[in-house]
Amino acid sequence: MDEPGALHQRNGTAAGARMHGQFTDADTGRLTHALTLSDSCLTVQNISSSSPPEHLDLRDCLWSRAHRGEDQDAYLCVYLYPYRRRWMAWGPGRQRDERRFRLALRTDDNDEDANLREAERWARAINSAQRAEHAHGVLLSEVRRPRGMMVLVNPQSGQGQAMALYNRHIQRMLTEADIPHTLFITERQNHARDLVRSADLTEWDALVVLSGDGLLFEVVNGLMDRPDWEKAIQTPLGILPGGSGNALAASVHHYTRASPVWGEDLLTSCGFLLCKGLVSKLDLVSIRLASGARLFSFLSLAWGFVADVDIESERFRPIGALRFLLSTLLSLASLRVYQGKLAFLPAESERESSSAGLCGADSRLPDRLLVPLEQPVPQDWTQVEEQEFVLVLAMFQAHLDEDLRAAPDARVDDGLIHLFYVTGGVSRLMMLRLFRAMQSGKHLDLGCAHLVYRRARALRLEPLSTAGVMTVDGERVEYGPLQAQVHRGAARLISA
């Protein structure tokens, strides 16, 4: 083993490495570790034993920091969240792994801060290297950290566990990642919408929701309500699963191409991505109702079976995510059909606008592909003949909820409406098979003659049945004719 006095000479750069140095074990102070930092990993070698070196992948590194301990020594802390299999889990999920190393350089007695400066130099180098690992994919920029994040929590979402999830996981992860944040607890419906509508957004680097998809729906529409909507909607948004459905959170995890996870494993995955602070574009869909009201959606539009299940499951909210399963079974037992008309602009269309495009007094994201509801759709639209529908589902992200991968090929900013509809005459057994297959995104492989899938840029839906339910991002909206147009990359989302 090297003499303690030799440690200072070893803390330099080895061939092919960013840095190389020696540290003692933070807990025992006895074992000496040799650390080598490269562009992709941190290698830890226990030089007091013959065990092979351990390679810590920097893609799993949340953050690194240096600090002075109670013993006044300098410490380097590295926070990792590698994928590991857990007992009784379906697949690997990210699990916390904290590594602490004590710096023990021999220094001049007159320079007590030398060890701390060296630990800080290592922390900066690790953080710089792990950020470089994310220079590809859907990365557009990085969230700046000096101002911090607004974290909105709905304590009533799901089974009322959102605050416990924040205290148990998210608060620690944000602290480890050195991200300042302020917690806002919502107290009523549309509270988040009101908050972001009037907030001074210069105080925040990002707006983060720990809840179900409904709270983010409030945030998006609150931003679009602002006079400075064009700038406001560029504020990066973050999603942490704390509700029952958690569709956008599941979609964000899906885009990482990792194995599916659920529950607190999904929360850890999304928390890890949030702390990485990588920002991608997010599609918004403008939805115009017959009353003239306008909504902005990021997730889905549903009529028929899916909307019925969503709304009718509210009475079973105390049982959490199982409420959707129970409501699905009840809806299958009374399988309803709805008369209506559907039309859409195929994704292949190159048209950028129509002569009577909907702009008018509302200048927010002009819907140039739409015409007024009282006018026929343009000739290049596909019109589905008037008939009975069991469901119409327009997806803008991959997941319909945490368990259902309705549009597995969707991407966060693909500029597409993934349109599904099921026509009347489908059997209850086939509907059950479709939704079971949707758990793995294989429902189109069943070859069901009643299931149709199309990619579109705009749509018009006209229910003719007098009673029914429509939802946008899982929230009930007025029942009647509506139109929708996708606006590619109009918002920003902290994602993979």
Side-chain angles (χ1 to χ4, degrees), residues 8 66 68 72-75 103-107 111-120:
H8 185 70
R68 192 183 297 281
Q72 298 304 305
D73 284 336
Y75 289 85
L103 202 66
L105 305 181
R106 175 173 290 178
T107 62
D111 190 1
E112 297 179 352
D113 295 329
N115 280 337
L116 183 59
R117 288 198 302 271
E118 180 67 7
E120 290 171 343

Side-chain angles (χ1 to χ4, degrees), residues 155-166:
Q156 304 303 319
S157 64
Q159 291 179 282
Q161 298 295 311
M163 278 306 303
L165 295 174
Y166 168 80

Side-chain angles (χ1 to χ4, degrees), residues 262-302:
W262 298 268
E264 294 190 18
D265 285 340
L266 179 60
L267 178 67
T268 301
S269 174
C270 291
F272 181 83
L273 294 171
L274 175 69
C275 292
K276 286 291 193 179
L278 306 176
V279 181
S280 64
K281 291 183 179 181
L282 172 68
D283 291 345
L284 289 185
V285 176
S286 166
I287 298 177
R288 293 178 181 263
L289 307 178
S291 65
R294 194 177 181 201
L295 306 171
F296 295 93
S297 167
F298 58 87
L299 182 63
S300 65
L301 162 66

Side-chain angles (χ1 to χ4, degrees), residues 279-344:
V279 181
S280 64
K281 291 183 179 181
L282 172 68
D283 291 345
L284 289 185
V285 176
S286 166
I287 298 177
R288 293 178 181 263
L289 307 178
S291 65
R294 194 177 181 201
L295 306 171
F296 295 93
S297 167
F298 58 87
L299 182 63
S300 65
L301 162 66
W303 173 49
F305 185 86
V306 170
D308 294 342
V309 167
D310 206 350
I311 297 305
E312 292 173 9
S313 71
E314 287 292 330
R315 54 183 168 148
F316 307 122
R317 181 171 285 275
I319 66 174
L322 287 176
R323 68 187 176 104
F324 295 113
L325 174 60
L326 180 56
S327 184
T328 297
L329 295 175
L330 292 175
S331 295
L332 280 173
S334 60
L335 193 61
R336 285 165 277 189
V337 295
Y338 299 90
Q339 194 76 18
K341 297 163 63 177
L342 175 66
F344 60 91

Side-chain angles (χ1 to χ4, degrees), residues 353-426:
S353 64
S354 64
S355 57
L358 290 176
C359 300
D362 188 347
S363 62
R364 302 172 299 167
L365 298 178
D367 292 325
R368 295 189 172 91
L369 299 177
L370 304 180
V371 298
L373 273 169
E374 60 270 16
Q375 296 182 15
V377 296
Q379 291 185 353
D380 57 345
W381 282 46
T382 297
Q383 298 190 55
V384 180
E385 63 179 312
E386 180 183 328
Q387 60 183 293
E388 290 184 334
F389 294 92
V390 172
L391 68 84
V392 175
L393 175 65
M395 292 295 304
F396 319 134
Q397 300 298 328
H399 275 250
L400 180 58
D401 71 12
E402 198 168 314
D403 296 311
L404 297 176
R405 209 177 312 162
D409 294 334
R411 291 296 176 263
V412 67
D413 62 341
D414 60 13
L416 296 173
I417 294 173
H418 297 264
L419 179 61
F420 301 83
Y421 60 92
V422 175
T423 57
V426 67

